[in-house]
């Protein structure tokens, strides 16, 4: 009995399924209590659904079965009725399909203290943990799943629950099976072969010996959502999949007499279990999306939560589909884009279906980016498979031969990393949980896969100057600082750490005698990013190209400095421009010396700079023929490492942790007022547990940043109250 299948069955039960759950729970409890007698009756049960029989005595041990979500109220109501009908109740066994766990501890204590009754909660996890401890329990579990889950997973029902960004039933089933495709263990098997085996299985989703499907029917189902003009190729790929899948002890049974097919018994069982696990993942994803709404200032009523969860998931899946399409398009053209919140908001504004939740677009964008950047542990694997499913689906929409496209991607290369990426890598050292260091994971995987990472002297200088600016900020009264809060100091503050500890943290990256050399050594020794300049390559490039690129960067930096700092220094701007010209022109020149497919180039600039991503467009307005853009975003690099030729070279642990989208925008702008609040909180909470203070300040600052200004969040007083509450709860 599959755990996820039973868990889905329990979660699916609602108020109308009370009798189904009662029969299931009674079978479980009867193994432990043979004297259990069901007492539910049309004339009334006096508050109990069952009791443990004791001859010649008043019953003292009662049983209540319930599928009610508000379990606290149900338990209190049950005890009240029992007290009215029975004199000496010693124990109440409360069996429920809800997940309660330690949340009932306080209620158990108060009931024992006030009523002298032992509350014994048997929640969903209790049933899940004991599903195979006795043959009777295993049968009861199978019966429940057959009645509740199996109809839910049939073709007509499951296609309404999955692939919400797609419209056609066959396309949704195809997406489901592409997502179920096991990406945890990357194999040498080509993506075309894997994908068409998945699509063939999706066409056979509801087949059995009593419901066979012809070869032509399979062809029609698969070709229905693939690009027109490739029918013969698709039919051949499907036939190849059928031949492999219907071999001895295969996943498909072939009835040769009439050339019909169906899923083998073991495959139907496996499919049911994996689909149940997938739906369970969808439910957990919806739950995280709904819970995140409140953090960003949104409000949902209890009645809205279920509908809003599905609507938010539909929006998230639309975003994954758009990202998959952009990835597939980038492979074809070599032109990258970078996902940010502004782009997400635009996708949401263009959604064809209006949502009933009425949440602001900004809030929904924040929620989606947050969940993609920091998925809950139980959601992470599901979300990654869903994202990869949409990407493969997008590839298949362009061409059936996915493998032919993928082999044209780079299989090794020399990548230069700019300041916009190195600063987040340094900021991630503040994250205590290494599994949450998304950028670090990406670049560690890239390095292990054979990609060589470089940085120029100019970028090293920029990083060191930024660290120095952070140092100056840490030594200056906040209100006397002229300009914005530096990125890394903002990251340090938002982690909840004290201003007094900033210099010590800074010493991990630079000292006072040879700070530039210290930064170089840190990048080399800790991040495997080596120094390699591009001066000669940039200087040997055509003068027209150098002039055009310099003009683009000069305009961009002047605009930035005027926006951010009133006392911007033109000399600093020129140095920054020269650094950007060196990297972009140098890489373009390297590329010009070796022909390659759009995404087969060996030389790339990994960046988050928006100007870099529109460089091709900017140059097309200045040059007769603009070269292809050399830039690659970390998000796209992560996708390449999961699906491209390098996937077999990345260790499984790293591959499954590769992020889908990384959000560093929260460090881009931190109001100086929040730095002052963090410093003030530190003074008031001196002497308390450092771990709790750090977490309290971090969470309070995060919350304030999501509000309309500090005042709307309650300011210092509200932050202090939140932290004090946290301290009281954990001491």
């Amino acid at each position: 009995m599959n755990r996820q299948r039973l868990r889905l069955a329990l979660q699916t039960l609602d108020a109308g399924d009370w009798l189904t759950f009662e029969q299931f729970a009674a079978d479980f409890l009867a193994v432990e209590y043979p004297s259990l007698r069901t007492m539910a009756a049309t004339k009334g049960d006096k508050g109990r659904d069952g009791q443990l029989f004791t001859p010649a005595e008043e019953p003292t041990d009662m049983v209540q079965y319930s599928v009610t979500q508000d379990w606290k109220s149900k338990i209190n109501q049950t005890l009240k009725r029992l007290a009215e009908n029975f004199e000496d109740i010693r124990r109440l066994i409360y069996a429920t399909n809800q997940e309660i766990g330690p949340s009932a501890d306080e209620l158990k204590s108060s009931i024992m203290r006030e009523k002298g009754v032992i509350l014994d909660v048997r929640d969903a996890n209790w049933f899940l943990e004991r599903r195979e401890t006795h043959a009777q329990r295993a049968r009861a579990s199978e019966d429940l799943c057959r009645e509740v889950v199996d109809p839910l997973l049939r073709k007509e029902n499951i296609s309404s629950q999955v692939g919400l960004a797609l419209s056609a039933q066959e396309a949704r089933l195809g997406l489901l099976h592409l997502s179920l495709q096991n990406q945890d263990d990357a194999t040498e098997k080509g993506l075309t072969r894997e994908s068409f085996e998945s699509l063939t299985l999706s066409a056979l989703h509801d087949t059995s010996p009593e419901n066979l499907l012809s070869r032509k029917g399979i062809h029609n189902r698969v070709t229905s959502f693939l690009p027109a003009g490739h029918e013969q190729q698709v039919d051949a790929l499907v036939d190849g999949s059928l031949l492999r899948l219907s071999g001895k002890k295969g996943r498909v049974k072939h009835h040769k007499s009439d050339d019909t097919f169906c899923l083998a018994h073991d495959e139907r069982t496996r499919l049911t279990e994996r689909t149940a696990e997938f739906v369970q993942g969808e439910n957990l994803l919806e739950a995280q999306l709904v819970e995140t709404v409140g953090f960003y200032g949104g409000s949902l009523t209890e009645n809205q939560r279920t509908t809003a969860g599905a609507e938010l998931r539909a929006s998230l899946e639309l975003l994954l589909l758009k990202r998959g399409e952009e990835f597939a398009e980038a492979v074809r053209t070599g032109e990258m884009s970078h996902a940010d919140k502004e782009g997400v908001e635009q996708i949401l504004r263009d959604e064809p279906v209006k949502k009933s939740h009425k949440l602001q677009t900004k809030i929904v964008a924040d929620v989606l980016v947050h969940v993609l950047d920091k998925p809950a542990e139980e959601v992470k694997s599901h979300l990654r498979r869903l994202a990869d499913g949409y990407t493969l689906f997008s590839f298949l929409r362009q061409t059936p031969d996915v493998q032919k496209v993928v082999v044209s991607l780079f299989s090794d290369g020399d990548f230069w990393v700019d300041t916009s990426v190195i600063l987040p890598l340094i900021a991630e050292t503040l994250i205590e949980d290494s599994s949450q260091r998304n950028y670090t994971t990406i670049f560690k995987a890239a390095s292990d896969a054979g990609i060589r990472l470089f940085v120029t002297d100019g970028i090293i200088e920029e990083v060191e100057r930024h660290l120095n600016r952070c140092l100056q900020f840490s030594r200056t009264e906040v209100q006397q600082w002229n300009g914005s809060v530096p990125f890394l100091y903002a990251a340090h503050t938002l982690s909840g750490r004290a201003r007094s500890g900033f210099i010590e943290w800074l010493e991990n990256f630079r000292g006072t005698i040879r700070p530039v050399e210290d930064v170089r050594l840190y990048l080399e020794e800790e991040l495997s990013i080596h120094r390699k300049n591009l001066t000669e390559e940039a200087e040997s490039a055509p003068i027209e190209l150098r002039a055009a690129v310099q003009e683009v960067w000069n305009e961009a930096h002047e605009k930035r400095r005027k926006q951010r700092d009133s006392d911007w220094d033109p000399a600093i701007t020129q140095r920054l421009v020269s650094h950007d010209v060196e990297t972009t022109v140098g890489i373009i020149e390297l590329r010009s010396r070796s022909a390659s497919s759009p995404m087969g180039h060996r030389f790339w600039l990994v960046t988050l700079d928006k100007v870099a991503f529109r460089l091709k467009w900017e140059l097309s307005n200045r040059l007769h023929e603009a070269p292809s853009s050399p830039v690659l975003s970390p998000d796209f690099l992560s996708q390449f490492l999961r699906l491209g030729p390098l996937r077999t070279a990345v260790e499984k642990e790293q591959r499954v942790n590769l992020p889908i989208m990384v959000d560093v925008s929260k460090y881009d702008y931190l109001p100086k007022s929040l730095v002052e609040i963090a410093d003030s909180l530190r003074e008031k909470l001196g002497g308390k547990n450092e771990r709790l203070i750090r977490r309290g300040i971090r969470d309070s600052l995060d919350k304030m940043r999501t509000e309309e200004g500090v005042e709307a969040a309650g300011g210092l007083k509200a932050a202090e109250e939140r932290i004090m509450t946290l301290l009281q709860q954990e001491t």
Side-chain angles (χ1 to χ4, degrees):
M1 166 51 58
N2 179 268
R3 180 185 178 94
Q4 293 299 341
R5 186 167 168 240
L6 178 57
R7 188 180 186 187
L8 178 60
L10 292 170
Q11 288 188 337
T12 303
L13 296 172
D14 57 25
D17 300 312
W18 63 269
L19 181 58
T20 300
F21 177 70
E22 182 174 306
Q23 293 169 343
F24 164 77
D27 284 343
F28 259 70
L29 292 173
V31 173
E32 187 176 350
Y33 303 109
S35 64
L36 174 65
R37 296 188 177 182
T38 299
M39 306 303 294
T42 56
K43 295 182 179 180
D45 53 23
K46 295 185 179 182
R48 84 286 198 206
D49 293 330
Q51 67 184 44
L52 303 188
F53 176 72
T54 54
E57 290 184 17
E58 282 290 311
T60 59
D61 293 67
M62 302 298 184
V63 179
Q64 177 70 53
Y65 308 112
S66 178
V67 292
T68 303
Q69 291 185 7
D70 188 1
W71 51 270
K72 287 185 180 179
S73 296
K74 181 65 175 179
I75 290 171
N76 286 323
Q77 291 170 7
T78 299
L79 288 169
K80 182 179 179 181
R81 288 199 63 197
L82 289 173
E84 293 170 354
N85 292 287
F86 302 95
E87 294 183 358
D88 186 23
I89 302 301
R90 294 185 308 185
R91 179 169 63 150
L92 171 63
I93 299 175
Y94 184 76
T96 177
N97 67 324
Q98 305 297 310
E99 293 187 16
I100 298 176
S103 299
D105 289 350
E106 186 177 340
L107 182 61
K108 290 179 183 179
S109 298
S110 65
I111 290 174
M112 185 63 194
R113 185 173 58 252
E114 297 170 11
K115 304 179 185 300
V117 176
I118 298 172
L119 174 61
D120 185 0
V121 175
R122 309 292 177 94
D123 70 348
N125 286 319
W126 186 86
F127 291 104
L128 291 171
E129 290 161 359
R130 291 160 179 79
R131 67 192 186 280
E132 294 180 339
T133 56
H134 192 278
Q136 181 170 314
R137 289 174 172 172
R139 282 195 302 272
S141 299
E142 182 59 38
D143 290 344
L144 180 67
C145 290
R146 191 178 297 115
E147 179 178 350
V148 176
V149 174
D150 290 1
L152 189 71
L153 303 183
R154 292 192 185 115
K155 179 177 179 178
E156 62 273 12
N157 291 325
I158 192 64
S159 60
S160 67
Q161 303 174 63
V162 301
L164 298 184
L166 308 173
S167 55
Q169 183 185 74
E170 298 299 340
R172 288 185 167 194
L173 282 174
L175 185 279
L176 168 66
H177 283 261
L178 287 170
S179 299
L180 292 178
Q181 185 172 297
N182 189 358
Q183 293 294 331
D184 289 347
D185 296 312
T187 66
E188 296 293 345
K189 187 194 298 185
L191 283 177
T192 299
R193 178 173 168 177
E194 285 186 352
S195 297
F196 270 86
E197 286 181 4
S198 295
L199 296 181
T200 301
L201 292 171
S202 79
L204 293 165
H205 184 89
D206 248 4
T207 57
S208 66
E210 298 74 37
N211 182 30
L212 299 168
L213 187 61
S214 68
R215 184 183 298 271
K216 184 63 176 176
I218 299 171
H219 289 170
N220 291 340
R221 288 185 179 183
V222 174
T223 56
S224 66
F225 61 90
L226 292 180
H230 297 275
E231 287 79 8
Q232 289 186 342
Q233 184 182 11
V234 170
D235 289 351
L237 289 167
V238 170
D239 287 341
S241 296
L242 286 171
L243 183 63
R244 292 189 298 274
L245 292 169
S246 61
K248 187 177 181 180
K249 296 183 179 180
R251 299 160 71 180
V252 172
K253 293 298 182 183
H254 183 196
H255 295 254
K256 296 182 180 179
S257 59
D258 56 359
D259 200 25
T260 55
F261 300 83
C262 70
L263 295 180
H265 174 76
D266 288 348
E267 178 61 19
R268 292 199 301 275
T269 301
R270 176 176 174 271
L271 176 60
T272 299
E273 292 175 351
R274 297 193 70 199
T275 305
E277 182 179 351
F278 186 86
V279 174
Q280 179 64 31
E282 299 280 58
N283 293 340
L284 293 170
L285 175 57
E286 288 184 10
Q288 187 182 2
L289 288 165
V290 168
E291 290 305 315
T292 308
V293 167
F295 180 79
Y296 286 100
S299 178
L300 295 170
T301 66
E302 194 62 38
N303 292 333
Q304 287 179 308
R305 290 172 70 90
T306 299
T307 302
E311 291 180 339
L312 289 168
R313 177 165 65 86
S315 296
L316 183 140
E317 292 196 30
L318 177 62
L319 175 57
L320 293 179
L321 175 61
K322 295 296 184 183
R323 293 295 291 160
E325 290 173 345
E326 289 174 2
F327 182 79
E329 182 66 11
V331 171
R332 186 179 69 85
T333 65
E335 295 302 317
M336 295 288 155
S337 64
H338 172 59
D340 56 22
K341 286 184 181 177
E342 291 180 6
V344 174
E345 288 182 31
Q346 187 57 54
I347 290 173
L348 295 174
R349 283 192 287 269
D350 293 340
E351 278 191 281
V353 179
K354 298 300 179 185
K355 309 299 183 183
S356 65
H357 54 60
K358 305 298 183 184
L359 294 169
Q360 296 177 16
T361 301
K362 180 182 181 303
I363 290 175
V364 176
D366 282 332
V367 168
L368 301 189
V369 172
H370 177 97
V371 171
L372 289 171
D373 181 34
K374 294 184 176 64
E377 195 59 38
E378 63 270 20
V379 172
K380 183 184 294 185
S381 177
H382 173 78
L383 194 55
R384 178 182 49 76
R385 290 182 181 180
L386 189 62
D388 289 348
Y390 272 110
T391 300
L392 287 171
F393 185 86
S394 299
F395 269 122
L396 288 162
R397 282 280 181 91
Q398 287 196 2
T399 173
D401 196 349
V402 180
Q403 187 64 21
K404 184 178 180 180
V405 176
V406 169
V407 295
S408 69
L409 305 180
F410 52 78
S411 55
D412 66 352
D414 295 346
F415 289 17
W416 276 260
V417 187
D418 81 353
T419 308
S420 66
V421 174
I422 291 176
L423 295 184
L425 279 166
I426 293 175
E428 284 189 341
T429 64
L430 295 164
I431 301 174
E432 295 176 359
D433 183 356
S434 60
S435 68
Q436 298 297 317
R437 297 175 183 172
N438 291 331
Y439 275 48
T440 306
T441 299
I442 293 172
F443 284 94
K444 179 66 165 62
S447 181
D448 288 352
I451 292 175
R452 294 167 292 281
L453 303 173
F454 299 110
V455 66
T456 65
D457 281 332
I459 301 303
I460 294 173
E461 178 189 327
E462 287 183 22
V463 173
E464 190 282 322
R465 286 295 83 196
H466 180 86
L467 292 170
N468 183 67
R469 190 163 180 264
C470 292
L471 177 63
Q472 298 306 315
F473 183 91
S474 71
R475 292 171 171 172
T476 306
E477 290 293 330
V478 176
Q479 290 306 319
Q480 294 178 6
W481 179 261
N482 186 19
S484 59
V485 180
F487 179 90
L488 285 178
Y489 192 90
H492 189 269
T493 299
L494 288 170
S495 74
R497 288 170 169 77
R499 175 182 284 250
S500 59
F502 180 78
I503 294 177
E504 182 180 354
W505 177 68
L506 198 68
E507 289 174 350
N508 290 305
F509 320 110
R510 71 183 289 277
T512 57
I513 308 301
R514 301 174 65 188
V516 174
E517 180 66 8
D518 294 335
V519 171
R520 184 190 70 79
L521 289 173
Y522 173 80
L523 295 176
E524 182 177 306
E525 295 172 0
E526 299 297 327
L527 300 174
S528 299
I529 301 176
H530 300 268
R531 178 176 62 185
K532 189 173 184 180
N533 291 316
L534 293 165
T535 309
E536 292 184 9
E537 289 80 2
E539 290 178 349
S540 64
I543 188 64
E544 296 83 1
L545 174 63
R546 285 179 52 83
V549 172
Q550 183 167 338
E551 185 176 292
V552 171
W553 283 114
N554 195 62
E555 291 176 1
H557 281 292
E558 284 192 4
K559 183 178 179 180
R560 289 172 181 173
R561 288 293 169 181
K562 288 178 180 178
Q563 288 176 338
R564 296 178 181 178
D565 300 299
S566 59
D567 60 342
W568 63 282
D569 184 349
I572 293 177
T573 297
Q574 290 308 308
R575 290 196 66 80
L576 294 174
V577 169
S578 68
H579 298 161
D580 288 324
V581 170
E582 178 186 351
T583 52
T584 50
V585 175
I587 294 173
I588 290 172
E589 178 63 18
L590 282 173
R591 286 177 161 204
S592 69
R593 300 172 185 176
S594 59
S596 184
S597 60
M599 288 305 302
H601 289 293
R602 292 185 56 248
F603 308 106
W604 293 91
L605 171 63
V606 188
T607 180
L608 291 170
D609 197 308
K610 292 181 180 180
V611 176
F613 286 99
R614 66 171 190 266
L615 185 63
K616 173 74 176 287
W617 181 85
E618 293 281 1
L619 292 179
S620 65
N621 294 327
R622 294 171 169 83
L623 297 173
H624 175 67
E625 185 176 351
S628 61
S629 176
V631 301
L632 182 72
S633 78
D635 290 345
F636 272 71
L637 176 56
S638 180
Q639 188 75 294
F640 282 126
L641 292 169
R642 291 204 308 273
L643 292 177
L646 295 174
R647 63 187 180 133
T648 56
V650 180
E651 292 183 3
K652 177 180 177 179
E653 184 178 356
Q654 288 182 336
R655 189 169 57 254
V656 300
N657 282 320
L658 284 167
I660 298 167
M661 180 182 291
V662 183
D663 176 33
V664 295
S665 63
K666 67 180 181 180
Y667 303 136
D668 285 343
Y669 175 69
L670 179 69
K672 289 188 287 187
S673 56
L674 292 190
V675 178
E676 290 183 301
I677 286 178
D679 292 343
S680 180
L681 285 170
R682 277 280 171 185
E683 292 181 11
K684 292 194 174 188
L685 298 172
K688 301 293 184 180
N689 183 290
E690 171 61 24
R691 178 178 59 85
L692 298 183
I693 291 175
R694 184 181 297 176
R695 189 200 315 164
I697 292 177
R698 178 198 67 199
D699 293 346
S700 293
L701 294 182
D702 277 349
K703 182 65 176 174
M704 287 179 179
R705 289 183 60 262
T706 67
E707 303 287 348
E708 297 296 329
V710 176
E711 291 75 17
L716 175 60
K717 186 174 185 298
E720 185 177 346
E721 289 175 355
R722 281 194 291 269
I723 296 172
M724 293 308 295
T725 300
L726 177 65
L727 291 169
Q728 291 169 2
Q729 290 174 347
E730 301 206 22
T731 54

